[in-house]
């Protein structure tokens, strides 16, 4: 299949699908200046061990270490802005071509771009919560407390320990994952964008959809069963697919 034809094929799959869901990973946000986790030479995890830096073990047992390293990673995403790919997905949702976005990312960029139905299966960096009473607070409050030397930060209501609402290594998956699973099961088409599909249990989701498209710069374990594979940046690939969508009827 000629490279140009693959964009048309994806457009036709979207046109014929009764329900299309999107699954995004770190690769969609690299164009917003957020390093991904595994790209050779640029991956975040080449510089530190994520299973330690962003683990419940360090968060609860060595909070000073967590707030010196892992927490800074979370805060570094706060000022990032959506890129072309995020805006295209928000428009596709508005136009009725996609049902929802399931994201492994914690950078809030889908919401900033205008996406409405977003399942954050690894949590998010907008809020924190109390591990004792469940009080939800802004991430800015956590940051302010930590900057004043309050480590771990404490809840103003019950004096329990506050933590970011991000799924750490060692955490259970959030309610959004269960909802995402049902969305995937109910879908005709899943389009994976910027994910290497190596992190469990999210990498089980593509197998639940009838049809699969993968847009990722490197190989994934699901490439063989995909209807189409595009090795390109998210913004470039989606721009080309959208051009065909406008003409396919």
């Amino acid at each position: 299949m000629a490279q140009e034809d693959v964009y048309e094929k994806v457009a036709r799959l979207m046109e014929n699908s009764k329900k299309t869901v999107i699954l995004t990973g770190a690769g969609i946000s690299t164009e917003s200046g957020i390093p991904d986790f595994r790209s050779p030479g640029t991956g975040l995890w080449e510089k530190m061990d994520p299973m330690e830096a962003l683990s419940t073990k360090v968060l609860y047992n060595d909070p000073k270490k967590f707030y010196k390293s892992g927490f800074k990673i979370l805060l570094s995403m706060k000022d990032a802005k959506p890129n072309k790919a995020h805006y295209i997905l928000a428009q596709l949702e508005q136009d009725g071509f996609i049902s929802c976005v399931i994201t492994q990312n914690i950078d809030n960029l889908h919401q900033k771009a205008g996406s409405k139905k977003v399942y954050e299966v690894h949590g998010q960096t907008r809020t924190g919560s109390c591990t004792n009473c469940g009080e939800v607070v802004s991430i800015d409050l956590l940051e302010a407390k930590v900057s004043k030397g309050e480590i771990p930060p404490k809840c103003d209501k019950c004096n329990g320990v506050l933590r970011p609402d991000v799924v750490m290594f060692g955490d259970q998956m959030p309610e959004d994952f269960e909802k995402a699973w049902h969305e995937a099961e109910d879908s005709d088409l899943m389009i994976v964008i910027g994910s290497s599909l190596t992190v469990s249990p999210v990498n089980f989701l593509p197998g639940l959809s009838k049809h699969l498209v993968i847009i990722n710069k490197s190989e994934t374990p699901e490439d063989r069963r995909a209807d189409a594979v595009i090795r390109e940046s998210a913004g470039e690939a989606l721009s080309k697919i959208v051009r065909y969508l406008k003409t396919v009827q």
Side-chain angles (χ1 to χ4, degrees):
M1 179 182 288
Q3 181 65 9
E4 203 59 33
D5 292 340
V6 76
Y7 308 112
E8 185 174 4
K9 180 176 184 179
V10 175
R12 292 194 184 280
L13 283 166
M14 292 177 73
E15 285 280 337
N16 294 328
S17 169
K18 291 193 181 94
K19 180 175 180 177
T20 298
V21 300
I22 305 293
L23 172 62
T24 65
I28 195 174
S29 294
T30 53
E31 291 167 69
S32 292
I34 298 175
D36 76 2
F37 296 88
R38 289 176 178 80
S39 291
T42 59
L44 205 51
W45 297 149
E46 287 191 354
K47 300 176 177 123
M48 65 175 69
D49 178 6
M51 298 190 76
E52 183 176 52
L54 292 173
S55 69
T56 52
K57 183 179 177 183
V58 171
L59 174 68
Y60 296 131
N61 298 328
D62 193 354
K64 283 188 178 176
K65 183 173 185 178
F66 172 78
Y67 284 102
K68 187 179 178 182
S69 56
F71 190 58
K72 286 184 177 176
I73 295 172
L74 307 185
L75 292 181
S76 70
M77 302 177 187
K78 255 194 355 172
D79 297 326
K81 292 180 171 53
N83 62 57
K84 189 195 321 184
H86 296 103
Y87 285 115
I88 290 174
L89 290 178
Q91 189 62 50
L92 287 172
E93 181 187 22
Q94 189 176 317
D95 293 344
F97 284 110
I98 65 175
S99 172
C100 66
V101 173
I102 301 165
T103 187
Q104 297 170 269
N105 300 335
I106 56 174
D107 52 32
N108 314 310
L109 294 182
H110 288 297
Q111 288 91 335
K112 285 182 181 179
S115 289
K116 303 298 182 195
K117 198 173 181 184
V118 181
Y119 296 101
E120 296 167 308
V121 295
H122 288 162
Q124 42 77 21
T125 52
R126 295 182 299 279
T127 61
S129 56
C130 177
T131 55
N132 182 51
C133 73
E135 173 77 359
V136 176
V137 300
S138 76
I139 200 76
D140 294 334
L141 180 64
L142 258 74
E143 184 181 8
K145 285 176 175 287
V146 169
S147 68
K148 285 190 275 189
E150 191 177 311
I151 297 176
K154 295 294 184 70
C155 175
D156 291 334
K157 277 197 170 180
C158 74
N159 208 40
V161 174
L162 296 171
R163 58 158 289 176
D165 286 333
V166 170
V167 178
M168 310 278 185
F169 291 92
D171 274 328
Q172 290 187 318
M173 293 298 280
E175 188 182 348
D176 265 17
F177 179 71
E178 190 177 334
K179 293 176 181 175
W181 186 280
H182 292 306
E183 293 279 5
E185 274 186 322
D186 194 37
S187 69
D188 289 325
L189 171 65
M190 176 176 285
I191 303 177
V192 175
I193 304 172
S195 175
S196 57
L197 297 177
T198 55
V199 176
S200 294
V202 176
N203 59 353
F204 290 107
L205 295 178
L208 301 174
S209 189
K210 297 181 185 72
H211 294 280
L212 178 65
V213 170
I214 295 176
I215 300 170
N216 197 53
K217 285 186 172 180
S218 58
E219 291 183 9
T220 84
E222 294 291 328
D223 286 359
R224 192 172 294 180
R225 67 165 287 263
D227 296 78
V229 175
I230 301 175
R231 295 253 185 275
E232 207 167 27
S233 74
E236 288 175 14
L238 288 172
S239 295
K240 292 169 187 173
I241 291 164
V242 166
R243 283 207 299 268
Y244 280 102
L245 268 179
K246 289 174 181 173
T247 59
V248 174
Q249 293 299 336

